[in-house]
Amino acid sequence: MADPSSLGQFEQLVLTAILTLGDNAYGVTIHAKAEALAAPKKAALGAVYATLDRMEDKGLVASWLSDPTPERGGRAKRHYRLEPAGERALRDSAVTAKRICDAVQQSWGEGIWIPN
Amino acid sequence: MDPELRKGGPPAPIAALIRLLIPPPAREAVMGDLEERYRSPIQYASEGIRTMPYLIASRARRTSSVAIVGLQAFALVACLGVTLPDLPGQTVPSWAQGGVPAAAALLALILRAVYRAEETPLRSGLLDAAAAAVAMLLSQGVLVALVSAGQIGPDWMLPRGLTMLAFFALPVLAVLGAAEGRDESPRPAVSRPDEAVIQDYLRFERRVRLRNRAEIFALGLIVILSSAILLRFEPPMAPFAWPFMGLFAALIVYLAARGAAPPAGAASGFAAVRALYQRELARQHGIRRLMWWFWLGPLFIGLAANLVLAGLAADEPLRAAAGGAAILLLAACIIALNRDRGREVRDKAAALSAMAEPA
């Protein structure tokens, strides 16, 4: 089963993207959201697919095909949602990240959050 | 998406090419995503090509079991003479001569697993063997072209004797390919348990029957080819090889008599079919577990002779140690394959047990 410590940074980004997108989480939107979260770093679309496959195999997310839509050349979307194991893994990662943020802020002050 | 950014759809030839390269299970969704992100033909083609390695690697991870790929590699390495000691005056080592076609065949098998559609075990095994044969021939074709162009020496080509030995890899690869897919479907439908179990068992029985036939055919081919070689050339290992032939012939008889799963006709009703299914799953797993050791037994002998014994005789401890490690790795691959299959069979049996008996 999912071990929170095994979640990589990119997996955290993709899980966060799925969480925030809700019912509209599919390849294109997940990629856009993950890239926005990772800014200024870029994310490859293929890396998003590979990460989604891996997380599906780990039981962190589930997927299903929707009905075809005309703007996609009549092709279906593969939608994703978080599974309970994925929610737990993301929550644990967020708690760890929060502790890191608090510790960094304590040492360097609130100025750390101002972009260079 | 922003409709302002969209300027028509992607050109049909580029879309068709990208579609062809995307592994089938991801095709529908990824083609739709690429179409939705379409800005220009160059952007579309570039994004499609950049996405491909991720999709292929991800699919390969999902479709290729480490144990199966390991066993395929061992079969190719043994039959292409990669482990053979070098002869005096040989300018290109045996591992390089055999390694090129072995690597080409292994790559072809991995790619075939990536692009494989739903197939019967028989078809799957035959196509695997065909793909490996084509890849080996292509690799030799490329080497011929390089030799003709004066880029490499003629010793890079596989020696004629080994070309014949390479044919022995094909039945083994066919059996590995046939056994790669599950005989049983992992999750039976639960809406109509009685009908679902019967349909599921019929499918299982058909797959086992086809796989069994493929295995008998492959064993028969090996016995015929090996016997012909033993009679024609009378090699020094003939006294050890004949008992193997006898064993393989006995296996053919056993598989013909007991290898197939019995038809469901004799069992009527949900409980009887379910019990038959569970019994047969366990029995087939037992046969498979044993068969792998028989199929791959000659590889142990080859590794022991070509690496361990040859290394000790030539005072090359590194060669002997590599042989020992290879033998352990081969055994580990067989054990891992049997363990994975055992887990799948237990999961299936548990899923069948959990199905409620219809009122």
Side-chain angles (χ1 to χ4, degrees):
Chain A
M1 207 15 89
D3 172 11
S5 63
S6 69
L7 272 191
Q9 192 190 32
F10 197 64
E11 286 178 324
Q12 292 173 20
L13 291 174
V14 172
L15 282 181
T16 307
I18 296 172
L19 175 75
T20 54
L21 288 163
D23 292 341
N24 194 33
Y26 65 99
V28 172
T29 55
I30 294 169
H31 173 255
K33 189 73 186 175
E35 205 166 56
L37 290 167
K41 283 185 193 167
K42 292 279 179 193
L45 181 61
V48 171
Y49 293 132
T51 305
L52 287 167
D53 282 352
R54 197 170 54 246
M55 291 199 299
E56 191 168 23
D57 292 344
K58 285 158 92 175
L60 301 176
V61 301
S63 76
W64 70 97
L65 280 174
S66 69
D67 290 332
T69 53
E71 77 269 20
R72 294 165 55 87
R75 294 193 174 89
K77 293 173 183 168
R78 181 164 289 282
H79 283 273
Y80 291 85
R81 66 152 191 268
L82 293 187
E83 289 287 73
E87 288 176 353
R88 276 196 302 277
L90 184 58
R91 185 172 292 125
D92 289 347
S93 293
V95 168
T96 305
K98 176 78 167 66
R99 278 199 296 268
I100 293 171
C101 290
D102 291 346
V104 168
Q105 186 176 310
Q106 208 169 12
S107 298
W108 288 344
E110 287 192 8
I112 184 67
W113 308 121
I114 301 165
N116 290 327
Chain B
M1 80 171 272
D2 184 359
E4 291 298 311
L5 293 172
R6 189 181 165 85
K7 298 178 177 71
I14 300 177
L17 184 66
I18 299 279
R19 186 180 188 284
L20 191 73
L21 293 173
I22 296 174
R27 213 167 260 165
E28 172 80 6
V30 173
M31 285 298 288
D33 286 354
L34 290 175
E35 171 115 12
E36 193 176 324
R37 289 164 61 89
Y38 176 75
R39 301 287 180 274
S40 69
I42 290 174
Q43 171 274 332
Y44 181 82
S46 148
E47 187 152 60
I49 289 164
R50 278 186 288 121
T51 303
M52 218 60 71
Y54 292 100
L55 294 172
I56 292 171
S58 180
R59 188 72 197 149
R61 185 185 58 75
R62 283 179 146 185
T63 53
S64 296
S65 127
V66 174
I68 289 275
V69 173
L71 292 175
Q72 286 170 333
F74 269 112
L76 287 164
V77 159
C79 294
L80 289 163
V82 174
T83 58
L84 286 177
D86 297 338
L87 298 171
Q90 190 174 328
T91 53
V92 177
S94 299
W95 66 262
Q97 284 177 337
V100 172
L106 197 61
L107 182 66
L109 289 167
I110 291 173
L111 285 177
R112 219 188 85 67
V114 166
Y115 289 98
R116 181 162 32 210
E118 184 74 19
E119 288 168 350
T120 62
L122 185 63
R123 186 178 161 80
S124 184
L126 291 176
L127 288 178
D128 268 12
V134 168
M136 285 192 267
L137 287 173
L138 277 178
S139 74
Q140 293 303 292
V142 170
L143 290 181
V144 167
L146 289 173
V147 170
S148 306
Q151 299 293 314
I152 55 171
D155 276 0
W156 276 91
M157 302 292 300
L158 201 61
R160 191 167 293 171
L162 283 179
T163 312
M164 217 161 60
L165 190 64
F167 279 107
F168 282 88
L170 301 181
V172 180
L173 293 175
V175 169
L176 280 167
E180 195 169 5
R182 300 160 186 249
D183 290 326
E184 73 285 2
S185 60
R187 284 181 293 274
V190 289
S191 52
R192 286 284 311 275
D194 46 350
E195 237 174 60
V197 164
I198 291 169
Q199 290 304 319
D200 201 22
Y201 183 77
L202 288 176
R203 185 173 169 274
F204 165 79
E205 187 253 325
R206 180 168 174 271
R207 289 179 71 90
V208 170
R209 182 164 21 96
L210 290 172
R211 177 176 50 69
N212 195 47
R213 282 182 191 166
E215 197 153 27
I216 290 171
F217 177 76
L219 276 171
L221 200 65
I222 284 190
V223 169
I224 291 167
L225 280 175
S226 305
S227 302
I229 289 171
L230 290 175
L231 288 172
R232 171 79 178 78
F233 299 104
E234 294 181 2
M237 41 118 48
F240 302 101
W242 281 116
F244 255 103
M245 294 305 105
L247 186 63
F248 276 30
L251 280 174
I252 292 174
V253 173
Y254 176 77
L255 289 178
R258 299 271 298 136
S268 61
F270 172 81
V273 174
R274 181 170 66 178
L276 170 68
Y277 199 170
Q278 287 174 322
R279 210 167 43 243
E280 229 6 76
L281 277 169
R283 195 178 75 88
Q284 288 297 333
H285 177 55
I287 294 176
R288 290 254 49 78
R289 207 165 42 191
L290 202 61
M291 283 305 294
W292 289 128
W293 292 101
F294 281 118
W295 267 113
L296 301 157
L299 299 190
F300 284 105
I301 296 170
L303 290 171
N306 294 332
L307 292 176
V308 180
L309 295 179
L312 291 175
D315 204 16
E316 291 177 16
L318 204 62
R319 186 180 188 86
I327 286 171
L328 289 177
L329 193 61
L330 176 58
C333 282
I334 300 174
I335 291 167
L337 180 61
N338 284 333
R339 191 191 52 220
D340 291 351
R341 286 295 133 91
R343 192 168 45 233
E344 286 168 11
V345 166
R346 278 194 301 278
D347 288 350
K348 175 67 183 188
L352 286 168
S353 294
M355 290 174 81
E357 196 162 344

